[in-house]
Amino acid sequence: LVARWLPATVKFESITLAAKARGPLTALMHEGTGRVTGLIAAKLQPLTADVTWRGNGAAITLKEARVQAGASAITVAGTVDATGARLATAKLSQGGVVRLALVHPAPVRWSPALAIGPLEFAGDDASLRVAATAGATGRLTIAARGIPSAWLADFVRVPGPDWRLVALAAEGDWDRGPATFKADGELAVALGAERLATVALKVHGDPQGVQIEALRVAEGATPIVTATGRLPVTLHPGDAAFVQIDQSGPLALHATTASNPAFWKKLAETTGLEFESPEATAELSGTWASPQGDVQARATRFATDARRVKLPVSSVEALDLHVIADRAGLTLEKFSARIEGRIVDARVRAA
């Protein structure tokens, strides 16, 4: 009966509810327990959820709400009413070990506007702090360190290799327009036994665009991807078009890639895009609508997983590409490749 009212992406095995109430509807006293098993939604793993509560009208005390998935569980307790909640305790545990726990009670409001925290969690060599207000005017701050993908894997399907968020510091605010923000983070990605790649990004944005101060992917001291520059891209929280591009805004980009078979293999597992021995450089200026500069790329093979990425061509081999952009237009200075077994060689100028 309940299932017919749920979205097609939400499914469950069973729902059990035991409750009792007394008093007038305007001041109804109630309490009970509820349990949902085999809950599946979007990219979530199968979950079991349990709740025990008591309340007076819309004011509810959660004695415990628990979501279990595999060996992991999220447990919270606190109070809820029509305008928000106050978390008294909250924790993430795995195999009986507490990974993160709420440091102090914290509020979450959803009326008249969304406001979160600050929520501060701490664990052994790990922490997470989130504070946010949302609406036409808002602010968001996030600070995190030492959080591995393994802590999420029981709850959501995490594609690709294991990773660990080494550190992240991000903050932004907006007032009826584009956000001003900055972010600085580092991610460690497992490439294999005793091999790690680090992904480091430092970026800031304002109403004029996004400045990439540094993007670096490396294994040890050996770079795999590097990039710096400025893009005429702005972020608009609350707008239907969250990401907006100024076609006439200034563009500046310097980027390079290098071959690292283990890294590109892990990227393929994550994205469905396979790159074999890719080497590329990009030096671009001008505007988004009229870029100027030079792009060169070579790869032994480029292919896609057709189950995950739909492109007209599923594989390209022996790719050699050189594109020049200037005030007169784009010149495909060189293009040679073997596309699905056929050799293609071309040179094109587009005004």
Side-chain angles (χ1 to χ4, degrees), residues 27-171:
L28 189 67
M29 304 292 291
H30 52 93
E31 60 183 291
T33 61
R35 180 178 178 86
V36 180
T37 64
L39 178 63
I40 299 175
K43 295 184 179 181
L44 293 179
Q45 304 280 27
L47 307 174
T48 296
D50 293 277
V51 62
T52 302
W53 85 91
R54 70 173 184 274
N56 183 346
I60 298 171
T61 297
L62 291 177
K63 297 176 66 176
E64 182 178 85
R66 178 184 177 88
V67 176
Q68 180 88 34
S72 301
I74 297 173
T75 307
V76 301
T79 58
V80 182
D81 61 28
T83 62
R86 182 169 182 81
L87 300 181
T89 63
K91 64 182 179 181
L92 166 66
S93 57
Q94 195 173 48
V97 178
V98 176
R99 300 302 190 186
L100 288 172
L102 189 67
V103 175
H104 48 71
V108 177
R109 310 295 294 180
W110 46 75
S111 179
L114 179 64
I116 299 174
L119 299 177
E120 187 173 351
F121 298 85
D124 292 340
D125 298 320
S127 63
L128 172 65
R129 188 180 190 277
V130 180
T133 57
T137 299
R139 179 170 178 79
L140 171 67
T141 61
I142 300 174
R145 65 177 181 85
I147 298 178
S149 59
W151 290 2
L152 308 177
D154 280 344
F155 295 100
V156 296
R157 298 181 183 92
V158 182
D162 292 338
W163 51 261
R164 178 176 177 268
L165 181 61
V166 178
L168 172 65
E171 61 180 65

Side-chain angles (χ1 to χ4, degrees), residues 168-171 181-185 200-206 209-215 229-231 235:
L168 172 65
E171 61 180 65
F181 67 91
K182 60 181 179 181
D184 190 351
L201 174 65
K202 189 173 184 179
V203 62
H204 70 264
D206 54 33
V210 173
Q211 180 78 40
I212 304 172
E213 298 179 48
L215 168 61
R230 187 170 187 88
L231 306 176
L235 306 182

Side-chain angles (χ1 to χ4, degrees), residues 154-326:
D154 280 344
F155 295 100
V156 296
R157 298 181 183 92
V158 182
D162 292 338
W163 51 261
R164 178 176 177 268
L165 181 61
V166 178
L168 172 65
E171 61 180 65
D173 56 70
W174 60 94
D175 186 3
R176 297 173 177 83
T180 298
F181 67 91
K182 60 181 179 181
D184 190 351
E186 181 178 338
L187 190 74
V189 181
L191 299 182
E194 307 298 324
R195 296 184 63 183
L196 288 175
T198 57
V199 181
L201 174 65
K202 189 173 184 179
V203 62
H204 70 264
D206 54 33
Q208 285 68 53
V210 173
Q211 180 78 40
I212 304 172
E213 298 179 48
L215 168 61
R216 178 181 171 86
V217 182
E219 183 179 8
T222 305
I224 304 170
V225 178
T226 60
T228 59
R230 187 170 187 88
L231 306 176
V233 175
T234 51
L235 306 182
H236 297 252
D239 281 12
F242 176 70
V243 178
Q244 299 182 23
I245 300 173
D246 180 1
Q247 297 290 329
S248 61
L251 169 68
L253 180 65
H254 167 75
T256 63
T257 71
S259 180
N260 182 303
F263 172 80
W264 296 110
K265 180 181 178 181
K266 295 299 183 182
L267 184 67
E269 292 174 2
T270 305
T271 65
L273 300 174
E274 176 189 344
F275 297 90
E276 186 176 325
S277 302
E279 296 182 3
T281 61
E283 293 282 355
L284 296 174
S285 59
T287 66
W288 188 273
S290 182
Q292 299 178 39
D294 185 278
V295 176
Q296 298 186 59
R298 295 184 178 87
T300 303
R301 173 179 165 83
F302 166 73
T304 63
D305 181 347
R307 296 168 298 179
R308 301 166 62 187
V309 180
K310 303 298 183 183
L311 291 178
V313 175
S314 61
S315 67
V316 177
E317 297 177 320
L319 173 66
D320 191 351
L321 171 71
H322 184 195
V323 177
I324 298 173
D326 54 30

Side-chain angles (χ1 to χ4, degrees), residues 1-7 10 12-15:
L1 179 62
V2 176
R4 72 175 63 180
W5 304 106
L6 296 176
V10 178
F12 63 90
E13 292 179 358
S14 67
I15 294 180

